[in-house]
Amino acid sequence: MVTVEMVAKMAGVSRGTVDRVLHHRGEVKSETAERVRQVMRELDFQPNTLGRAFSIAKKRNRIGIFLSAREPDFQEQIKQGIEDGVAYAQQHGIEAVIEVVSPDDELLYLQKIDEMIASEVQGIVLRGIESKAFDERLQILKNQGIPVFTYNQDVRPALRNCYVGIDSCRAGKCAALLMRQISPPDGYALIVGVTPQHKDSEKRIEGFLEQWGLAPKASSGYRIIYGEGYHDVAYARTRDALNEMPNITGIFVSGAGLSGVAQAVYERGTADVQKIVGFDATQRNITYMKNGTVQFLIDQSPYQQGYKAVQLLVDYLFEGRAPDVSCYYLDAHIKNAFKCIKKMNDFVLGILMILLSAFLVFGKITETEVKTGQGGFLVRSDVWLRMMGVFLVIVAVILIIRSFGKKEGEEAEGFHFYLDSTVVAVIVSLIVYALA
């Protein structure tokens, strides 16, 4: 069995240093701590989890979690993930304190961090903000050995242990590629950011512009405005920009406020000319996508942002297991109108298949059935038709259940129906069978 002494010897440090790295106590140089962790990984060192559980049980263990009061639809999805993360923490004997604070209220944010420090929390999960005073608070947390895990909006890497969210620069490039598919090659782009201080919004804009410039006819222009992440502000500023520049053919929204942008385009009746690509599959955004105002939404996996940030912190405290990466990037899912109508199609298809099965099982079977004594049970055509009917019922039930199904963190999209080829085929089969 690998021991602490073996790790210390191989890493060239004292046993006390290994203990401090393992239990996150005291100050250890980052390069030294990383060397110790590397040796632990190479030796497959397993800390005494049972002993750690007893140690945790002896004292009051608490983590602090900050939830943003802005973007209520989006934050509700993050909140669901955080709540499940809190349940995970409680299973490990760790209490969680949740504070709901607007990132725009810097003084209150700082006050709540100070209260967390005073209450001796063992770790913090938060959404970053751009502020010198905020960075100073994070430095205090680091000096005291309190781990910080961020989600949605990152902070300076030196001030936190791990960030959970999408790769904002790559997401911006993805948005530019989508925009190129739906707007003219020589089109003019309007970019609606959150604020210049919103780091991840700015990274998405940088990625968008980089990819936009790489496309053919790179001389096409753009203009950047800021909606401050609020529906009303984004609506008013987009409306004004569209009045000033009617030649805009594409609108990229790098963060919150997309519903306000969509409302401005919808009211002008120019959705067929001015295409919109943005973020977050909230109910309001999906509504505008279904009516054709928004063409693509890039979903940031908000549930996973909330859950994974808490889970990683709990694992860090309970098992002494540091994240393998400093940025835990989540998948960004592209949604369009077709994906929003698929659930309703599954439901309708399931109902139609049940009707067809009812005809097969209970309806007129066939007038040329073979008697049981002449060829055996399985030769009878009515038996085969009934078996087919039962099979179709099973498939139909699966389709209907899937139409109501909801993955973790996925926004409920509602129903919208589109008459596709599969549904048409089932309807034709019903009609032919009924008339035969």
Side-chain angles (χ1 to χ4, degrees), residues 76-313:
E76 180 60 32
Q77 298 175 62
I78 289 182
K79 181 183 176 183
Q80 293 172 10
I82 285 177
E83 288 175 347
D84 286 351
V86 169
Y88 180 80
Q90 291 171 344
Q91 293 170 5
H92 291 74
I94 298 175
E95 175 190 349
V97 179
I98 300 178
E99 293 286 355
V100 181
V101 186
S102 171
D104 299 324
D105 193 341
E106 180 182 337
L107 292 178
L108 182 58
Y109 214 128
L110 297 176
Q111 176 188 328
K112 293 300 181 182
I113 291 179
D114 291 339
E115 291 176 4
M116 292 276 187
I117 296 173
S119 66
E120 298 183 346
V121 293
Q122 275 71 55
I124 289 181
V125 173
L126 53 78
R127 174 193 183 279
I129 62 174
E130 184 67 22
S131 160
K132 182 179 179 181
F134 182 76
D135 288 353
E136 291 173 352
R137 293 303 195 285
L138 295 184
Q139 187 63 54
I140 292 173
L141 292 169
K142 180 179 179 180
N143 293 342
Q144 294 186 6
I146 300 174
V148 173
F149 286 68
T150 61
Y151 67 88
N152 192 233
Q153 182 173 341
D154 202 5
V155 297
R156 288 198 293 118
L159 298 176
R160 47 85 172 152
N161 296 73
C162 185
Y163 162 72
V164 179
I166 64 171
D167 185 332
S168 293
C169 185
R170 290 184 64 185
K173 292 180 179 180
C174 174
L177 289 172
L178 293 172
M179 185 68 75
R180 284 296 185 189
Q181 299 301 314
I182 57 178
S183 63
D186 57 347
Y188 194 94
L190 176 66
I191 300 173
V192 184
V194 181
T195 67
Q197 291 73 39
H198 193 298
K199 285 186 176 180
D200 284 271
S201 169
E202 292 299 287
K203 287 180 182 178
R204 292 170 202 157
I205 292 175
E206 290 173 9
F208 182 90
L209 291 176
E210 181 181 342
Q211 190 65 48
W212 191 262
L214 291 174
K217 298 190 177 181
S219 59
S220 55
Y222 64 91
R223 175 180 172 183
I224 300 177
I225 62 174
Y226 290 97
E228 299 181 14
Y230 292 102
H231 173 96
D232 293 341
V233 178
Y235 164 75
R237 294 181 181 175
T238 301
R239 179 195 59 201
D240 294 343
L242 294 176
N243 288 334
E244 295 174 16
M245 300 176 294
N247 62 324
I248 290 172
T249 56
I251 304 176
F252 170 53
V253 187
S254 67
L258 183 141
S259 60
V261 174
Q263 181 182 341
V265 173
Y266 180 78
E267 290 180 357
R268 288 174 62 89
T270 54
D272 58 333
V273 177
Q274 293 160 338
K275 309 297 184 178
I276 300 177
V277 177
F279 287 84
D280 306 332
T282 63
Q283 197 58 54
R284 283 201 296 185
N285 291 349
I286 287 174
T287 298
Y288 279 112
M289 184 162 62
K290 287 179 178 178
N291 69 24
T293 307
V294 175
Q295 280 63 50
F296 289 103
L297 290 173
I298 301 175
D299 185 61
Q300 301 185 59
S301 300
Y303 173 91
Q304 286 296 329
Q305 287 190 35
Y307 179 78
K308 200 67 185 180
V310 178
Q311 182 194 39
L312 290 173
L313 174 57

Side-chain angles (χ1 to χ4, degrees), residues 276 285-297 334-345 413-418:
I276 300 177
N285 291 349
I286 287 174
T287 298
Y288 279 112
M289 184 162 62
K290 287 179 178 178
N291 69 24
T293 307
V294 175
Q295 280 63 50
F296 289 103
L297 290 173
I334 300 172
K335 294 181 178 289
N336 55 26
F338 175 78
K339 290 187 177 181
C340 287
I341 64 179
K342 188 177 184 302
K343 286 189 175 183
M344 184 56 174
N345 271 27
E413 297 173 348
F415 283 143
H416 186 75
F417 176 64
Y418 177 74

